[in-house]
Amino acid sequence: MQNIVITGGCGFIGVNLIRFLMKTDESVCIRVVDNLSVGQLEDLEEIQRSEVGGSRSESEPTGIELVVGDIQDADLAIKACRGMDAVIHLAANTGVIPSIEDPRADCETNVIGTFNYLEACRVNGVKRFVFASSGAPLGEQEPPIHEEMVPKPISPYGASKLCGEAYCSAFHGSFGMETVCLRFGNIYGPYSTHKGSVVAKFIKHIFADEPLPIYGDGNQTRDFIYVEDLVDAILLALEKPNIGGEVFQIATHREHTVGEVADVLNRLAEKHLGRKSEIVSEKERKGEVKRNYSDISKARRILGFEPRFDLKSGLELTFKWFLGES
Ligand SMILES: NC(=O)c1ccc[n+]([C@@H]2O[C@H](COP(=O)([O-])OP(=O)(O)OC[C@H]3O[C@@H](n4cnc5c(N)ncnc54)[C@H](O)[C@@H]3O)[C@@H](O)[C@H]2O)c1
């Protein structure tokens, strides 16, 4: 793949993905579409090796080109996808809680935005579309979650991601587009300073010498995946032939409690900062599932995906990045 549109490329996953592509593929041309509502230009600038300027050029990009715009803009989507080989669609409302607070905004960004980029691919003959989905479409299910389960979202965010998956399936079925949906686990890693997810939040609290808030009893579980492993999965989804219309769980197949994450981070805090943070219990939050981890057998079998980082090593790398050591 030479010419790739990455929506949401200024965000946490986008910046890590682009950083990796810039290091490993000299010939790749990336066009980022981001409205900078969350993502930061500085992170992209740090890794860029050519012009970034908010231009809306329709010509072939070189290096990284940033198009500042909203994925709800259908005309912009058509222009941004012209002449491109693939789209990696990351831009979204990314949170369960914001989707409960404002379900319409979540729907407009995640449903209409995703539709716009699928339609732009159809119009421009772009062959492959990789969609950043989540475990949220499945809702509260007995883990490990897997691709054969009937989705039962319990949040507007889960519903809007499920809708994105449905359109991906439809564009494969009706137009032969090679759409691939990746249901990401809980991702952590460098360039996540702006994230409210548990790992980033705990590290920020530790650095501010504040207590670590745990919602409920701390026994809620998640499948935490280091961002470099996720980048591997995205690139496999971009390149593997004959996987159009497929959905894959992308995680580690391991279940860890939020309490465990707090303990590992506190041990790192003791080692690197000479202190640790108190753990405080807060009220459980609505819409969040109690236990969650993924069966990744299908991704292993079909994509050849294999996560390389365990929780301890991934958290140490992340902690060191926050310390400015990597
Ligand atoms: N981080 C995780 O743990 C996780 C887990 C499951 C799924 N995902 C999915 O992965 C994708 C990327 O997540 P992330 O963690 O990098 O999020 P992020 O918030 O760091 O990045 C999202 C980027 O999209 C941009 N954006 C948001 N709305 C936009 C709009 N309307 N138009 C244009 N740009 C817009 C933001 O400015 C930001 O740069 C999302 O689709 C998210 O739902 C993430």
Side-chain angles (χ1 to χ4, degrees):
M1 291 286 173
Q2 297 300 300
N3 301 310
I4 306 170
V5 172
I6 302 180
T7 69
C10 296
F12 162 46
I13 295 168
V15 165
N16 280 283
L17 173 66
I18 294 168
R19 188 180 177 211
F20 182 84
L21 284 169
M22 290 288 106
K23 271 199 287 193
T24 55
D25 189 345
E26 280 290 302
S27 60
V28 72
C29 290
I30 296 165
R31 182 176 287 163
V32 170
V33 182
D34 201 303
N35 66 359
L36 300 180
S37 58
V38 176
Q40 300 162 32
L41 188 55
E42 296 73 39
D43 286 342
L44 196 59
E45 276 172 344
E46 196 184 311
I47 56 163
Q48 76 165 350
R49 58 167 186 181
S50 68
E51 187 200 328
V52 174
S55 68
R56 294 193 173 202
S57 160
E58 287 168 31
S59 61
E60 296 274 288
T62 54
I64 310 170
E65 177 192 10
L66 174 65
V67 179
V68 178
D70 202 289
I71 55 168
Q72 289 181 57
D73 182 339
D75 294 336
L76 175 64
I78 303 247
K79 283 185 200 157
C81 293
R82 200 165 288 159
M84 305 305 276
D85 300 312
V87 169
I88 300 172
H89 181 51
L90 302 174
N93 161 59
T94 63
V96 166
I97 306 300
S99 83
I100 293 171
E101 286 164 3
D102 191 348
R104 181 177 295 279
D106 176 84
C107 175
E108 284 167 354
T109 299
N110 291 4
V111 179
I112 303 299
T114 302
F115 176 83
N116 282 343
Y117 277 79
L118 282 164
E119 180 64 352
C121 287
R122 183 184 72 79
V123 168
N124 287 298
V126 179
K127 287 269 174 298
R128 188 153 296 210
F129 185 92
V130 178
F131 176 55
S133 189
S134 142
L138 291 176
E140 190 93 59
Q141 311 244 14
E142 188 59 36
I145 54 172
H146 57 78
E147 297 83 356
E148 301 306 314
M149 285 175 158
V150 177
K152 284 183 267 176
I154 58 168
S155 65
Y157 173 69
S160 64
K161 286 288 181 186
L162 181 58
C163 198
E165 290 187 2
Y167 272 112
C168 285
S169 175
F171 272 63
H172 174 67
S174 299
F175 311 115
M177 194 185 294
E178 294 172 3
T179 57
V180 188
C181 299
L182 302 181
R183 289 180 177 158
F184 303 163
N186 282 63
I187 307 141
Y188 65 96
Y191 298 98
S192 57
T193 316
H194 63 284
K195 297 297 290 187
S197 47
V198 66
V199 172
K201 189 160 93 179
F202 282 178
I203 296 178
K204 285 184 279 186
H205 279 245
I206 285 172
F207 276 57
D209 204 7
E210 287 167 0
L212 308 184
I214 287 190
Y215 301 103
D217 58 11
N219 287 324
Q220 62 272 46
T221 64
R222 297 290 181 266
D223 194 330
F224 295 99
I225 172 170
Y226 187 60
V227 69
E228 270 188 47
D229 282 332
L230 181 83
V231 166
D232 284 353
I234 293 174
L235 297 179
L236 287 166
L238 200 61
E239 299 292 347
K240 279 273 162 188
N242 307 319
I243 54 168
E246 295 289 348
V247 176
F248 297 96
Q249 301 291 150
I250 302 296
T252 66
H253 212 135
R254 294 191 202 115
E255 186 177 22
H256 290 286
T257 66
V258 168
E260 247 180 297
V261 171
D263 289 342
V264 175
L265 289 174
N266 255 337
R267 277 199 291 279
L268 288 165
E270 273 189 311
K271 181 173 154 189
H272 293 278
L273 304 172
R275 59 175 155 76
K276 57 186 208 175
S277 288
E278 186 196 348
I279 294 170
V280 291
S281 185
E282 293 191 358
K283 215 172 126 230
E284 242 170 74
R285 297 194 298 187
K286 268 206 174 123
E288 291 196 302
V289 299
K290 181 81 186 149
R291 276 185 70 204
N292 195 12
Y293 77 103
S294 301
D295 181 336
I296 60 165
S297 309
K298 183 178 174 188
R300 281 191 162 118
R301 195 176 67 250
I302 299 178
L303 294 179
F305 169 66
E306 194 56 54
R308 294 173 287 133
F309 297 86
D310 63 15
L311 185 69
K312 229 175 118 209
S313 58
L315 287 181
E316 178 139 31
L317 287 167
T318 308
F319 199 90
K320 283 186 169 165
W321 181 85
F322 273 84
L323 277 172
E325 285 183 14
S326 62

